[in-house]
Amino acid sequence: MKFIEPSAEELAALRADPLLWEQELDVRPDFAEAIERAVGKRAGRVYWRSAHQHLYALELADLGRGRPSMAMVYGFWDRYEPRPPEDEIDADLFDLCDWLAQVGGLNPADIGKVCATRWYFNEENECLI
């Protein structure tokens, strides 16, 4: 994951759309601390562009436990346009979850299993996104 710093002008022209949130990130302290190390901060936002060139942010919050306690993922879209296609957003969120599993010491194959229970894999177990 390559984090970027979007300009204030770009952010002012976009609307934030909350996509995912985890209110008990610190239930797994090792995972929360690994995310902190990977993003370089305990609280605040980090931004990245997806393979589809959409802008996203991961926002971490520290509730006084010495590690990230909560996390939210936002997509940033044009103010007056509809959202990007859902399959692109789903693919981008899959990439984020895969990255989180890798940096957090989880088995990335488990992310594939979760997606398989949805609509992301065909009968031959090929990823459709």
Short mmCIF file of all heavy atoms in Angstrom, two decimals, residues 31-84:
data_model
loop_
_atom_site.label_atom_id
_atom_site.label_comp_id
_atom_site.label_asym_id
_atom_site.label_seq_id
_atom_site.Cartn_x
_atom_site.Cartn_y
_atom_site.Cartn_z
N PHE A 31 -2.84 -7.09 16.33
CA PHE A 31 -3.28 -6.63 15.02
C PHE A 31 -3.33 -5.10 14.98
O PHE A 31 -2.82 -4.47 14.05
CB PHE A 31 -4.65 -7.22 14.69
CG PHE A 31 -5.17 -6.84 13.34
CD1 PHE A 31 -4.69 -7.46 12.20
CD2 PHE A 31 -6.14 -5.87 13.20
CE1 PHE A 31 -5.15 -7.11 10.94
CE2 PHE A 31 -6.63 -5.51 11.95
CZ PHE A 31 -6.12 -6.13 10.82
N ALA A 32 -3.91 -4.49 16.00
CA ALA A 32 -4.01 -3.03 16.06
C ALA A 32 -2.63 -2.39 16.05
O ALA A 32 -2.39 -1.40 15.35
CB ALA A 32 -4.79 -2.60 17.30
N GLU A 33 -1.69 -2.95 16.80
CA GLU A 33 -0.34 -2.40 16.84
C GLU A 33 0.39 -2.59 15.51
O GLU A 33 1.16 -1.73 15.09
CB GLU A 33 0.43 -3.03 18.00
CG GLU A 33 -0.10 -2.56 19.35
CD GLU A 33 0.37 -3.39 20.53
OE1 GLU A 33 1.16 -4.35 20.33
OE2 GLU A 33 -0.08 -3.10 21.66
N ALA A 34 0.12 -3.70 14.82
CA ALA A 34 0.73 -3.92 13.50
C ALA A 34 0.21 -2.91 12.48
O ALA A 34 0.98 -2.40 11.66
CB ALA A 34 0.45 -5.35 13.02
N ILE A 35 -1.07 -2.58 12.56
CA ILE A 35 -1.63 -1.57 11.67
C ILE A 35 -0.99 -0.21 11.96
O ILE A 35 -0.63 0.52 11.04
CB ILE A 35 -3.17 -1.50 11.81
CG1 ILE A 35 -3.82 -2.84 11.47
CG2 ILE A 35 -3.75 -0.37 10.95
CD1 ILE A 35 -3.49 -3.39 10.11
N GLU A 36 -0.83 0.10 13.24
CA GLU A 36 -0.18 1.36 13.61
C GLU A 36 1.23 1.45 13.02
O GLU A 36 1.61 2.48 12.45
CB GLU A 36 -0.12 1.48 15.13
CG GLU A 36 0.59 2.73 15.60
CD GLU A 36 0.73 2.81 17.11
OE1 GLU A 36 0.11 2.01 17.84
OE2 GLU A 36 1.49 3.69 17.57
N ARG A 37 1.99 0.38 13.13
CA ARG A 37 3.35 0.37 12.57
C ARG A 37 3.31 0.54 11.05
O ARG A 37 4.12 1.27 10.48
CB ARG A 37 4.08 -0.92 12.94
CG ARG A 37 4.58 -0.96 14.37
CD ARG A 37 5.48 -2.16 14.61
NE ARG A 37 4.85 -3.44 14.33
CZ ARG A 37 4.07 -4.11 15.17
NH1 ARG A 37 3.81 -3.60 16.37
NH2 ARG A 37 3.55 -5.27 14.85
N ALA A 38 2.38 -0.13 10.40
CA ALA A 38 2.31 -0.10 8.94
C ALA A 38 1.93 1.27 8.39
O ALA A 38 2.44 1.69 7.35
CB ALA A 38 1.33 -1.16 8.44
N VAL A 39 1.03 1.98 9.07
CA VAL A 39 0.60 3.29 8.58
C VAL A 39 1.43 4.42 9.17
O VAL A 39 1.38 5.55 8.68
CB VAL A 39 -0.90 3.55 8.79
CG1 VAL A 39 -1.73 2.48 8.10
CG2 VAL A 39 -1.27 3.66 10.24
N GLY A 40 2.16 4.14 10.25
CA GLY A 40 3.03 5.15 10.83
C GLY A 40 2.35 6.12 11.76
O GLY A 40 2.90 7.17 12.08
N LYS A 41 1.15 5.79 12.21
CA LYS A 41 0.47 6.65 13.18
C LYS A 41 -0.58 5.85 13.93
O LYS A 41 -1.11 4.87 13.43
CB LYS A 41 -0.14 7.88 12.53
CG LYS A 41 -1.11 7.61 11.41
CD LYS A 41 -1.75 8.86 10.84
CE LYS A 41 -0.79 9.70 10.08
NZ LYS A 41 -1.37 10.92 9.53
N ARG A 42 -0.87 6.31 15.11
CA ARG A 42 -1.86 5.67 15.97
C ARG A 42 -3.26 6.23 15.73
O ARG A 42 -4.26 5.54 15.91
CB ARG A 42 -1.48 5.87 17.43
CG ARG A 42 -2.42 5.20 18.41
CD ARG A 42 -1.94 5.32 19.82
NE ARG A 42 -0.65 4.67 19.92
CZ ARG A 42 0.22 4.88 20.90
NH1 ARG A 42 -0.05 5.73 21.86
NH2 ARG A 42 1.36 4.25 20.93
N ALA A 43 -3.34 7.48 15.35
CA ALA A 43 -4.62 8.13 15.09
C ALA A 43 -4.44 9.10 13.94
O ALA A 43 -3.37 9.66 13.75
CB ALA A 43 -5.10 8.86 16.35
N GLY A 44 -5.50 9.28 13.18
CA GLY A 44 -5.48 10.17 12.04
C GLY A 44 -5.74 9.41 10.75
O GLY A 44 -6.02 8.21 10.77
N ARG A 45 -5.66 10.13 9.64
CA ARG A 45 -5.95 9.54 8.34
C ARG A 45 -4.69 9.34 7.51
O ARG A 45 -3.78 10.16 7.54
CB ARG A 45 -6.87 10.46 7.53
CG ARG A 45 -8.30 10.42 7.94
CD ARG A 45 -9.14 11.25 6.98
NE ARG A 45 -10.53 11.22 7.42
CZ ARG A 45 -11.50 11.90 6.85
NH1 ARG A 45 -11.24 12.68 5.81
NH2 ARG A 45 -12.73 11.82 7.31
N VAL A 46 -4.71 8.24 6.76
CA VAL A 46 -3.74 8.01 5.69
C VAL A 46 -4.55 7.76 4.42
O VAL A 46 -5.62 7.15 4.47
CB VAL A 46 -2.78 6.84 6.00
CG1 VAL A 46 -1.84 7.19 7.13
CG2 VAL A 46 -3.53 5.55 6.30
N TYR A 47 -4.06 8.26 3.31
CA TYR A 47 -4.77 8.19 2.03
C TYR A 47 -3.99 7.34 1.04
O TYR A 47 -2.77 7.25 1.11
CB TYR A 47 -4.91 9.60 1.43
CG TYR A 47 -5.71 10.56 2.26
CD1 TYR A 47 -5.12 11.31 3.27
CD2 TYR A 47 -7.07 10.74 2.01
CE1 TYR A 47 -5.85 12.20 4.04
CE2 TYR A 47 -7.81 11.64 2.77
CZ TYR A 47 -7.20 12.36 3.78
OH TYR A 47 -7.93 13.24 4.53
N TRP A 48 -4.71 6.74 0.10
CA TRP A 48 -4.09 6.01 -1.00
C TRP A 48 -5.03 6.04 -2.20
O TRP A 48 -6.22 6.28 -2.07
CB TRP A 48 -3.75 4.57 -0.61
CG TRP A 48 -4.92 3.65 -0.53
CD1 TRP A 48 -5.40 2.82 -1.51
CD2 TRP A 48 -5.81 3.47 0.59
NE1 TRP A 48 -6.50 2.14 -1.06
CE2 TRP A 48 -6.77 2.53 0.23
CE3 TRP A 48 -5.86 4.03 1.88
CZ2 TRP A 48 -7.80 2.12 1.09
CZ3 TRP A 48 -6.87 3.64 2.73
CH2 TRP A 48 -7.81 2.69 2.33
N ARG A 49 -4.44 5.78 -3.37
CA ARG A 49 -5.22 5.63 -4.60
C ARG A 49 -5.24 4.15 -4.96
O ARG A 49 -4.22 3.47 -4.90
CB ARG A 49 -4.61 6.40 -5.75
CG ARG A 49 -4.83 7.85 -5.63
CD ARG A 49 -4.78 8.58 -6.95
NE ARG A 49 -4.66 9.98 -6.67
CZ ARG A 49 -5.67 10.76 -6.29
NH1 ARG A 49 -6.87 10.26 -6.21
NH2 ARG A 49 -5.48 12.02 -6.02
N SER A 50 -6.40 3.70 -5.34
CA SER A 50 -6.55 2.29 -5.69
C SER A 50 -6.10 2.04 -7.12
O SER A 50 -5.78 2.98 -7.86
CB SER A 50 -8.02 1.89 -5.55
OG SER A 50 -8.79 2.51 -6.59
N ALA A 51 -6.12 0.79 -7.51
CA ALA A 51 -5.82 0.43 -8.90
C ALA A 51 -6.81 1.07 -9.87
O ALA A 51 -6.49 1.26 -11.04
CB ALA A 51 -5.83 -1.09 -9.05
N HIS A 52 -8.00 1.40 -9.38
CA HIS A 52 -9.01 2.08 -10.20
C HIS A 52 -8.89 3.60 -10.14
O HIS A 52 -9.75 4.31 -10.63
CB HIS A 52 -10.42 1.66 -9.74
CG HIS A 52 -10.68 0.21 -9.91
ND1 HIS A 52 -10.61 -0.68 -8.86
CD2 HIS A 52 -10.98 -0.51 -11.00
CE1 HIS A 52 -10.87 -1.89 -9.31
NE2 HIS A 52 -11.09 -1.82 -10.60
N GLN A 53 -7.85 4.08 -9.47
CA GLN A 53 -7.56 5.51 -9.32
C GLN A 53 -8.56 6.24 -8.43
O GLN A 53 -8.69 7.46 -8.51
CB GLN A 53 -7.44 6.20 -10.68
CG GLN A 53 -6.26 5.71 -11.50
CD GLN A 53 -4.94 5.85 -10.74
OE1 GLN A 53 -4.61 6.92 -10.24
NE2 GLN A 53 -4.19 4.76 -10.62
N HIS A 54 -9.27 5.51 -7.58
CA HIS A 54 -10.16 6.14 -6.60
C HIS A 54 -9.34 6.49 -5.36
O HIS A 54 -8.41 5.77 -4.99
CB HIS A 54 -11.32 5.21 -6.22
CG HIS A 54 -12.12 4.76 -7.39
ND1 HIS A 54 -12.67 5.62 -8.31
CD2 HIS A 54 -12.48 3.51 -7.79
CE1 HIS A 54 -13.33 4.94 -9.21
NE2 HIS A 54 -13.23 3.65 -8.93
N LEU A 55 -9.71 7.59 -4.72
CA LEU A 55 -9.04 8.03 -3.50
C LEU A 55 -9.77 7.44 -2.30
O LEU A 55 -11.00 7.52 -2.21
CB LEU A 55 -9.03 9.56 -3.42
CG LEU A 55 -8.35 10.17 -2.20
CD1 LEU A 55 -6.85 9.86 -2.21
CD2 LEU A 55 -8.59 11.68 -2.16
N TYR A 56 -9.00 6.86 -1.37
CA TYR A 56 -9.54 6.28 -0.14
C TYR A 56 -8.73 6.79 1.04
O TYR A 56 -7.59 7.23 0.89
CB TYR A 56 -9.45 4.75 -0.16
CG TYR A 56 -10.33 4.09 -1.17
CD1 TYR A 56 -9.87 3.80 -2.45
CD2 TYR A 56 -11.65 3.75 -0.85
CE1 TYR A 56 -10.70 3.20 -3.38
CE2 TYR A 56 -12.47 3.14 -1.78
CZ TYR A 56 -11.99 2.87 -3.04
OH TYR A 56 -12.81 2.27 -3.95
N ALA A 57 -9.32 6.68 2.23
CA ALA A 57 -8.61 7.00 3.46
C ALA A 57 -8.93 5.95 4.51
O ALA A 57 -10.06 5.46 4.60
CB ALA A 57 -9.02 8.38 3.98
N LEU A 58 -7.91 5.62 5.30
CA LEU A 58 -8.07 4.80 6.49
C LEU A 58 -7.88 5.76 7.65
O LEU A 58 -6.83 6.40 7.77
CB LEU A 58 -7.03 3.69 6.54
CG LEU A 58 -6.94 2.88 7.83
CD1 LEU A 58 -8.24 2.12 8.10
CD2 LEU A 58 -5.75 1.94 7.78
N GLU A 59 -8.90 5.88 8.49
CA GLU A 59 -8.83 6.76 9.65
C GLU A 59 -8.80 5.92 10.91
O GLU A 59 -9.70 5.12 11.15
CB GLU A 59 -10.03 7.70 9.68
CG GLU A 59 -9.98 8.69 10.82
CD GLU A 59 -11.10 9.70 10.75
OE1 GLU A 59 -12.26 9.31 10.99
OE2 GLU A 59 -10.81 10.86 10.42
N LEU A 60 -7.75 6.12 11.70
CA LEU A 60 -7.59 5.40 12.97
C LEU A 60 -7.89 6.34 14.12
O LEU A 60 -7.65 7.54 14.03
CB LEU A 60 -6.16 4.87 13.10
CG LEU A 60 -5.70 3.89 12.02
CD1 LEU A 60 -4.22 3.59 12.20
CD2 LEU A 60 -6.53 2.63 12.03
N ALA A 61 -8.42 5.78 15.20
CA ALA A 61 -8.69 6.55 16.42
C ALA A 61 -8.13 5.81 17.61
O ALA A 61 -8.28 4.59 17.72
CB ALA A 61 -10.20 6.76 16.59
N ASP A 62 -7.46 6.53 18.48
CA ASP A 62 -6.93 5.98 19.73
C ASP A 62 -7.84 6.47 20.86
O ASP A 62 -7.97 7.66 21.07
CB ASP A 62 -5.50 6.46 19.95
CG ASP A 62 -4.91 5.98 21.27
OD1 ASP A 62 -5.57 5.21 21.99
OD2 ASP A 62 -3.78 6.41 21.57
N LEU A 63 -8.46 5.55 21.55
CA LEU A 63 -9.35 5.91 22.65
C LEU A 63 -8.66 5.81 24.01
O LEU A 63 -9.29 5.56 25.02
CB LEU A 63 -10.60 5.02 22.63
CG LEU A 63 -11.42 5.10 21.33
CD1 LEU A 63 -12.62 4.18 21.39
CD2 LEU A 63 -11.85 6.52 21.05
N GLY A 64 -7.35 6.00 24.00
CA GLY A 64 -6.60 6.02 25.26
C GLY A 64 -6.04 4.68 25.68
O GLY A 64 -5.59 4.54 26.82
N ARG A 65 -6.04 3.71 24.80
CA ARG A 65 -5.53 2.38 25.16
C ARG A 65 -4.11 2.15 24.67
O ARG A 65 -3.59 1.05 24.78
CB ARG A 65 -6.48 1.33 24.59
CG ARG A 65 -7.87 1.44 25.21
CD ARG A 65 -8.79 0.35 24.71
NE ARG A 65 -10.11 0.56 25.28
CZ ARG A 65 -11.21 0.66 24.56
NH1 ARG A 65 -11.16 0.55 23.25
NH2 ARG A 65 -12.37 0.85 25.15
N GLY A 66 -3.52 3.17 24.08
CA GLY A 66 -2.14 3.05 23.63
C GLY A 66 -1.97 2.36 22.31
O GLY A 66 -0.86 1.96 21.95
N ARG A 67 -3.03 2.21 21.56
CA ARG A 67 -3.00 1.60 20.22
C ARG A 67 -4.27 2.03 19.50
O ARG A 67 -5.21 2.50 20.14
CB ARG A 67 -2.89 0.09 20.31
CG ARG A 67 -4.03 -0.56 21.04
CD ARG A 67 -3.82 -2.07 21.16
NE ARG A 67 -4.64 -2.58 22.24
CZ ARG A 67 -4.23 -2.78 23.49
NH1 ARG A 67 -2.99 -2.50 23.82
NH2 ARG A 67 -5.03 -3.24 24.41
N PRO A 68 -4.33 1.86 18.19
CA PRO A 68 -5.58 2.21 17.50
C PRO A 68 -6.74 1.38 18.04
O PRO A 68 -6.64 0.16 18.17
CB PRO A 68 -5.29 1.87 16.04
CG PRO A 68 -3.81 1.87 15.94
CD PRO A 68 -3.30 1.43 17.27
N SER A 69 -7.82 2.05 18.38
CA SER A 69 -9.00 1.38 18.93
C SER A 69 -10.11 1.23 17.91
O SER A 69 -10.91 0.30 17.98
CB SER A 69 -9.53 2.16 20.13
OG SER A 69 -8.55 2.29 21.12
N MET A 70 -10.19 2.19 17.00
CA MET A 70 -11.25 2.18 15.99
C MET A 70 -10.64 2.51 14.63
O MET A 70 -9.59 3.17 14.56
CB MET A 70 -12.32 3.23 16.32
CG MET A 70 -13.08 2.92 17.58
SD MET A 70 -14.27 4.18 18.12
CE MET A 70 -14.83 4.97 16.69
N ALA A 71 -11.32 2.05 13.57
CA ALA A 71 -10.86 2.35 12.21
C ALA A 71 -12.07 2.56 11.32
O ALA A 71 -13.09 1.88 11.47
CB ALA A 71 -10.01 1.20 11.68
N MET A 72 -11.94 3.52 10.41
CA MET A 72 -12.95 3.76 9.39
C MET A 72 -12.25 3.87 8.04
O MET A 72 -11.13 4.38 7.97
CB MET A 72 -13.74 5.04 9.65
CG MET A 72 -14.66 4.93 10.83
SD MET A 72 -15.86 6.26 10.92
CE MET A 72 -16.95 5.83 9.58
N VAL A 73 -12.92 3.39 7.01
CA VAL A 73 -12.43 3.52 5.65
C VAL A 73 -13.43 4.39 4.90
O VAL A 73 -14.63 4.12 4.92
CB VAL A 73 -12.29 2.15 4.95
CG1 VAL A 73 -11.88 2.32 3.50
CG2 VAL A 73 -11.28 1.28 5.70
N TYR A 74 -12.90 5.42 4.24
CA TYR A 74 -13.71 6.33 3.45
C TYR A 74 -13.31 6.23 1.98
O TYR A 74 -12.12 6.11 1.67
CB TYR A 74 -13.49 7.78 3.87
CG TYR A 74 -13.94 8.11 5.26
CD1 TYR A 74 -13.08 8.01 6.35
CD2 TYR A 74 -15.23 8.56 5.50
CE1 TYR A 74 -13.49 8.33 7.63
CE2 TYR A 74 -15.65 8.88 6.78
CZ TYR A 74 -14.78 8.77 7.84
OH TYR A 74 -15.19 9.08 9.10
N GLY A 75 -14.29 6.34 1.11
CA GLY A 75 -14.04 6.56 -0.31
C GLY A 75 -14.35 8.02 -0.58
O GLY A 75 -15.24 8.61 0.05
N PHE A 76 -13.61 8.63 -1.48
CA PHE A 76 -13.83 10.03 -1.82
C PHE A 76 -14.25 10.12 -3.28
O PHE A 76 -13.51 9.71 -4.17
CB PHE A 76 -12.55 10.85 -1.58
CG PHE A 76 -12.23 10.99 -0.13
CD1 PHE A 76 -11.52 10.02 0.54
CD2 PHE A 76 -12.68 12.09 0.59
CE1 PHE A 76 -11.23 10.12 1.89
CE2 PHE A 76 -12.41 12.21 1.94
CZ PHE A 76 -11.69 11.23 2.60
N TRP A 77 -15.47 10.63 -3.48
CA TRP A 77 -16.05 10.69 -4.82
C TRP A 77 -16.36 12.15 -5.17
O TRP A 77 -16.48 13.00 -4.30
CB TRP A 77 -17.35 9.90 -4.90
CG TRP A 77 -17.42 8.66 -4.07
CD1 TRP A 77 -18.37 8.36 -3.15
CD2 TRP A 77 -16.52 7.54 -4.07
NE1 TRP A 77 -18.12 7.14 -2.58
CE2 TRP A 77 -17.00 6.61 -3.13
CE3 TRP A 77 -15.36 7.22 -4.77
CZ2 TRP A 77 -16.36 5.40 -2.86
CZ3 TRP A 77 -14.72 6.01 -4.50
CH2 TRP A 77 -15.23 5.12 -3.58
N ASP A 78 -16.56 12.36 -6.48
CA ASP A 78 -16.98 13.69 -6.92
C ASP A 78 -18.27 14.06 -6.21
O ASP A 78 -19.15 13.22 -5.99
CB ASP A 78 -17.21 13.71 -8.44
CG ASP A 78 -15.90 13.58 -9.21
OD1 ASP A 78 -14.87 14.02 -8.68
OD2 ASP A 78 -15.93 13.05 -10.32
N ARG A 79 -18.40 15.32 -5.86
CA ARG A 79 -19.57 15.78 -5.11
C ARG A 79 -20.88 15.59 -5.86
O ARG A 79 -21.90 15.31 -5.27
CB ARG A 79 -19.42 17.26 -4.76
CG ARG A 79 -18.39 17.51 -3.70
CD ARG A 79 -18.49 18.93 -3.20
NE ARG A 79 -17.50 19.19 -2.18
CZ ARG A 79 -17.65 18.89 -0.90
NH1 ARG A 79 -18.73 18.31 -0.48
NH2 ARG A 79 -16.70 19.16 -0.03
N TYR A 80 -20.89 15.78 -7.15
CA TYR A 80 -22.16 15.80 -7.89
C TYR A 80 -22.31 14.62 -8.84
O TYR A 80 -23.13 14.65 -9.73
CB TYR A 80 -22.27 17.12 -8.67
CG TYR A 80 -22.17 18.29 -7.74
CD1 TYR A 80 -21.01 19.06 -7.67
CD2 TYR A 80 -23.21 18.59 -6.86
CE1 TYR A 80 -20.92 20.12 -6.78
CE2 TYR A 80 -23.12 19.64 -5.97
CZ TYR A 80 -21.97 20.40 -5.93
OH TYR A 80 -21.87 21.44 -5.05
N GLU A 81 -21.55 13.60 -8.62
CA GLU A 81 -21.63 12.41 -9.46
C GLU A 81 -22.08 11.21 -8.62
O GLU A 81 -21.91 11.21 -7.41
CB GLU A 81 -20.26 12.11 -10.08
CG GLU A 81 -19.74 13.20 -11.00
CD GLU A 81 -20.57 13.36 -12.25
OE1 GLU A 81 -21.10 12.37 -12.77
OE2 GLU A 81 -20.70 14.51 -12.72
N PRO A 82 -22.59 10.19 -9.24
CA PRO A 82 -22.89 8.97 -8.47
C PRO A 82 -21.59 8.28 -8.06
O PRO A 82 -20.51 8.61 -8.55
CB PRO A 82 -23.67 8.11 -9.48
CG PRO A 82 -23.27 8.62 -10.82
CD PRO A 82 -22.95 10.07 -10.65
N ARG A 83 -21.73 7.32 -7.17
CA ARG A 83 -20.57 6.54 -6.74
C ARG A 83 -19.98 5.80 -7.93
O ARG A 83 -20.68 5.51 -8.89
CB ARG A 83 -20.99 5.51 -5.71
CG ARG A 83 -21.37 6.09 -4.38
CD ARG A 83 -21.92 5.04 -3.49
NE ARG A 83 -20.83 4.32 -2.83
CZ ARG A 83 -21.02 3.35 -1.96
NH1 ARG A 83 -22.23 2.96 -1.65
NH2 ARG A 83 -20.01 2.76 -1.39
N PRO A 84 -18.70 5.44 -7.84
CA PRO A 84 -18.11 4.57 -8.87
C PRO A 84 -18.84 3.23 -8.88
O PRO A 84 -19.57 2.90 -7.94
CB PRO A 84 -16.67 4.41 -8.42
CG PRO A 84 -16.41 5.54 -7.49
CD PRO A 84 -17.72 5.86 -6.85
#
